[in-house]
Amino acid sequence: ELFMGASSEAFDRLKEAHFLRDVGLPAVGSLDPVVWFGIFWLAGMILNIAAIGSLIKRVERGGRQTIAQYLFGFTVLELGAMLVFALTGSTWVAIVGLLGVFFARNMANPLYTTWLNQQITDSSVRATVLSLTGQSNAVGQAAGGPVLGALGNVWGIRAALNAGALAIAPALGLYARAIAHHGREPELDELTAAPAVD
């Protein structure tokens, strides 16, 4: 969540500016930029609605290991789509990159929450863990945002977007570790198995 928060800050703050300054919007009709951004958001939502049913069925059959694999895959997709969005000079390729980021994020977020809930068998700490993940994301945004903004001021919007994309990379290592442990966190299993200390 820390890495995702840092990454999202650049993309969320700069995507519109990147379209307006660097790649432009489609020259179809005389739509205002705000209308185009609404169309992009709606298209992303439709993509997710079309795909979510199939994902739910696969996750129900596969369990934690499958969730960890999908989280890894959606994180790779998000990173790649961000890089495509940042590097292209084509309006239509930028739109594909944007929709890829929307799709990956919207598919990964409920999976991540499901994955956390499956790992936390003690309901007394579930709310604390979920709260900590939200706080980690906020810390990532607060710490990463100014750094990426400074990069953008010195080297431009593309540089900030690229750095934001690369900020996700450590999360891939953590998901890969989870996959190697069959979707489980061994430290959590050890804590559960440890005898209580008075």
Side-chain angles (χ1 to χ4, degrees):
E1 282 297 306
L2 185 73
F3 302 124
M4 293 300 193
S7 171
S8 69
E9 192 68 3
F11 184 81
D12 292 346
R13 302 283 177 245
L14 298 174
K15 63 183 183 293
E16 291 88 357
H18 183 52
F19 271 113
L20 296 174
R21 286 181 166 188
D22 300 329
V23 296
L25 289 165
V28 179
S30 56
L31 297 178
D32 287 336
V34 69
V35 175
W36 277 116
F37 296 133
I39 290 170
F40 299 156
W41 179 82
L42 183 62
M45 195 166 53
I46 290 169
L47 279 173
N48 287 111
I49 290 170
I52 197 73
S54 172
L55 179 67
I56 290 170
K57 289 176 186 172
R58 291 178 185 185
V59 165
E60 285 175 346
R61 285 195 303 264
R64 287 186 198 177
Q65 175 77 347
T66 301
I67 293 175
Q69 290 168 343
Y70 273 108
L71 285 170
F72 182 89
F74 287 132
T75 305
V76 168
L77 174 60
E78 183 175 351
L79 193 158
M82 279 186 176
L83 288 174
V84 166
F85 179 73
L87 294 171
T88 187
S90 162
T91 298
W92 295 105
V93 174
I95 291 169
V96 170
L98 178 80
L99 293 178
V101 174
F102 286 171
F103 179 79
R105 281 186 182 177
N106 292 337
M107 296 298 275
N109 286 341
L111 274 183
Y112 184 74
T113 304
T114 301
W115 189 53
L116 277 182
N117 281 314
Q118 286 181 348
Q119 305 233 27
I120 305 166
T121 55
D122 184 354
S123 61
S124 65
V125 299
R126 181 174 288 118
T128 303
V129 172
L130 294 175
S131 174
L132 282 172
T133 61
Q135 290 175 33
S136 295
N137 190 292
V139 168
Q141 290 182 36
V147 172
L148 295 171
L151 283 174
N153 283 335
V154 175
W155 288 292
I157 292 174
R158 287 183 195 276
L161 288 169
N162 279 311
L166 296 176
I168 297 176
L172 292 173
L174 296 172
Y175 285 138
R177 178 181 180 275
I179 292 168
H181 292 288
H182 306 292
R184 297 178 179 275
E185 285 295 333
E187 290 82 5
L188 287 176
D189 291 338
E190 289 169 15
L191 285 173
T192 305
V197 178
D198 292 330

